[in-house]
Amino acid sequence: MTNASWVKIRRDLHQIPELGFQEFKTQQYLLDYIKTLPQEHITVTTWKTGIFVYAEGTVGDQTVAYRADIDGLPITEETGLDFVSQHEGRMHACGHDLHMTIALGSLTQVVQERIEHNALFVFQPAEEGPGGAQPMLESEEMKQYEIDYIFALHVDPKRPVGTVASKEGLLFANTSELFIDFHGKGGHAAYPHETKDMMMAASAFNVQLQQVVGRMVNPLEDAVVTLGKMEAGTVQNIIPEHARVEGTIRTTAAKTMPEIKQSIERILCGIEVRYECQTSVDYGANYFMVHNDGEYVERFKDALSNTSIEFIEAEEAMTGEDFGYMLKELRGFMFWLGVDSEYGLHNSKLNPKEEAIEVGIEAVVNMMKS
Ligand SMILES: CC(=O)N[C@@H](CCC[C@H](N)C(=O)O)C(=O)O
């Protein structure tokens, strides 16, 4: 197929972003495409909104798995593109539309050329949350395959098209979501002394939270605590009885995560006393770090040696990826694919260069053949 065909598929997928475990139209689109391939040597299995496609190799000496995530984000797209998202308030703002297209392109080539190794394509739901990798890994559907190694890619808006980047060891951080509710006595804006203002409680928490990394975490360890959402109040003249904050915790060392959670809980104890309120904390989805197996990173470099794709040594990133759970159980690695976008991941104007699709397909297929 030509690049134009992959661009069309990417644009179709871009228009139907769906949140984790609700990827029904996406799954149907992928299945419809997969049905157009020669079926003699492939087996297709679904798991929730995900899909496994197993392509039997000519030799079958090993099984190489490749994972692509398929969910979108709760973001209203502002790219102004002709093929803008048709789903209100949803956007493929993390490049999963490209990830899926590259997986379809690689699958097509693997099926048409019939490579030596068996290949398993894993279309995984809910990477952005609540996390599809761990339950998919534990599913009977995935356990039936004896996987020798698994790999995956993530688009990188900061790198030019034609490049890939990876490294041995830690690539992405440990992550935990963070949801906190504050409950107290609300009331009339003109009688603040009779209320316990939950907007103040949540704001004070946010200010104190900024000291966690600066003052409570060992400076030799890397960590990030960010609030991305704060909600309180209904109208201008009511002091709210409820506030909610949502955020994320990121650490490079697994042991720093429980330490940060403990610090947050200590801060909340203080907030409860000072603002005479009750708080509850929920850590949502937790992802294990992405830790690459050096042997496979080297094999990837070798697989690219006869291509024009440039391999760049990557740095650790504070991004999270539930693919980390797959790499905890299986050997393998993850790499960044340069897509050169002025706006970054999770931005409503993210606009990856589509020329990167062919680069991704070439990199994945070369690795699978190696
Ligand atoms: C590559 C990327 O952007 N991944 C997401 C993963 C989300 C993890 C989870 N929902 C959290 O926010 O902790 C990221 O935000 O890094």
Side-chain angles (χ1 to χ4, degrees):
M1 272 168 80
T2 62
N3 193 39
S5 319
W6 301 125
V7 167
K8 180 186 178 314
I9 287 177
R10 182 261 159 161
R11 293 182 181 188
D12 288 348
L13 289 166
H14 185 81
Q15 291 179 60
I16 54 165
E18 296 163 295
L19 298 186
F21 291 125
Q22 294 166 29
E23 305 96 334
F24 303 108
K25 284 191 205 167
T26 307
Q27 185 189 43
Q28 195 53 57
Y29 185 95
L30 296 170
L31 287 170
D32 287 346
Y33 176 81
I34 294 161
K35 268 191 218 137
T36 67
L37 296 173
Q39 301 290 302
E40 298 88 289
H41 303 286
I42 67 171
T43 314
V44 182
T45 321
T46 58
W47 173 84
K48 295 186 192 268
T49 44
I51 307 169
F52 295 100
V53 187
Y54 178 75
E56 199 188 314
T58 52
V59 177
D61 56 337
Q62 52 175 284
T63 300
V64 181
Y66 176 73
R67 172 277 207 168
D69 39 13
I70 69 169
D71 53 322
L73 281 159
I75 293 179
T76 300
E77 181 166 350
E78 291 180 311
T79 56
L81 294 166
D82 295 347
F83 52 94
V84 70
S85 165
Q86 298 302 302
H87 289 179
E88 182 76 27
R90 306 280 181 263
M91 180 185 171
H92 271 301
C94 203
H96 299 190
D97 47 346
L98 270 80
H99 298 177
M100 288 185 271
T101 309
I102 291 166
L104 290 180
S106 307
L107 169 66
T108 304
Q109 209 170 316
V110 160
V111 169
Q112 284 171 350
E113 285 182 23
R114 286 226 58 213
I115 66 169
E116 286 184 8
H117 308 315
N118 303 319
L120 178 69
F121 287 84
V122 180
F123 292 90
Q124 181 217 299
E127 186 275 327
E128 297 291 352
Q134 199 175 21
M136 202 170 199
L137 192 64
E138 287 163 3
S139 71
E140 289 309 315
E141 289 83 349
M142 186 147 176
K143 277 190 190 150
Q144 67 176 300
Y145 299 109
E146 279 187 29
I147 297 168
D148 289 270
Y149 77 93
I150 188 161
F151 70 114
L153 67 76
H154 202 293
V155 298
D156 186 350
K158 294 191 190 120
R159 295 186 196 277
V161 174
T163 64
V164 294
S166 192
K167 69 183 279 293
E168 177 180 359
L170 186 83
L171 187 70
F172 291 174
N174 298 280
T175 71
S176 169
E177 295 176 347
L178 178 64
F179 303 97
I180 304 172
D181 287 288
F182 300 79
H183 290 277
K185 185 179 175 231
H188 201 294
Y191 303 92
H193 56 295
E194 292 174 6
T195 71
K196 309 296 168 202
D197 186 343
M198 288 309 100
M199 207 175 308
M200 290 292 288
S203 305
F205 170 75
N206 192 11
V207 171
Q208 290 183 42
L209 184 68
Q210 305 313 315
Q211 295 169 26
V212 169
V213 175
R215 285 294 170 268
M216 295 166 199
V217 172
N218 180 341
L220 297 177
E221 286 158 11
D222 298 319
V224 176
V225 184
T226 296
L227 291 188
K229 185 172 173 183
M230 200 163 188
E231 241 175 29
T234 46
V235 286
Q236 115 290 342
N237 60 352
I238 296 177
I239 291 175
E241 61 181 15
H242 173 246
R244 180 175 168 86
V245 296
E246 299 187 4
T248 180
I249 312 168
R250 314 282 165 114
T251 71
T252 50
K255 75 174 187 47
T256 318
M257 185 59 81
E259 291 169 10
I260 291 183
K261 289 181 176 173
Q262 212 175 38
S263 298
I264 287 173
E265 285 158 33
R266 277 206 211 98
I267 293 173
L268 288 175
C269 285
I271 295 284
E272 287 193 356
V273 174
R274 170 65 186 82
Y275 294 91
E276 296 175 59
C277 64
Q278 292 78 49
T279 66
S280 59
V281 56
D282 172 4
Y283 294 111
N286 286 238
Y287 293 173
F288 192 74
M289 63 189 153
V290 171
H291 197 272
N292 284 341
D293 185 322
E295 192 181 317
Y296 287 97
V297 175
E298 285 307 311
R299 189 157 152 183
F300 184 49
K301 283 186 204 169
D302 289 347
L304 298 179
S305 59
N306 60 352
T307 71
S308 59
I309 302 171
E310 185 189 353
F311 180 94
I312 298 168
E313 199 60 29
E315 287 157 8
E316 294 171 2
M318 280 299 188
T319 18
E321 247 291 350
D322 66 349
F323 185 61
Y325 285 117
M326 296 205 178
L327 290 184
K328 199 174 169 209
E329 298 301 321
L330 299 163
R331 299 189 70 182
F333 71 103
M334 183 160 207
F335 68 96
W336 289 110
L337 174 76
V339 295
D340 186 16
S341 162
E342 184 184 349
Y343 298 94
L345 299 175
H346 294 198
N347 188 296
S348 57
K349 292 185 179 157
L350 174 78
N351 186 13
K353 294 224 165 34
E354 292 170 322
E355 295 82 347
I357 295 171
E358 281 197 318
V359 180
I361 296 171
E362 190 179 4
V364 170
V365 173
N366 271 35
M367 182 64 194
M368 287 196 143
K369 283 179 174 173
S370 75

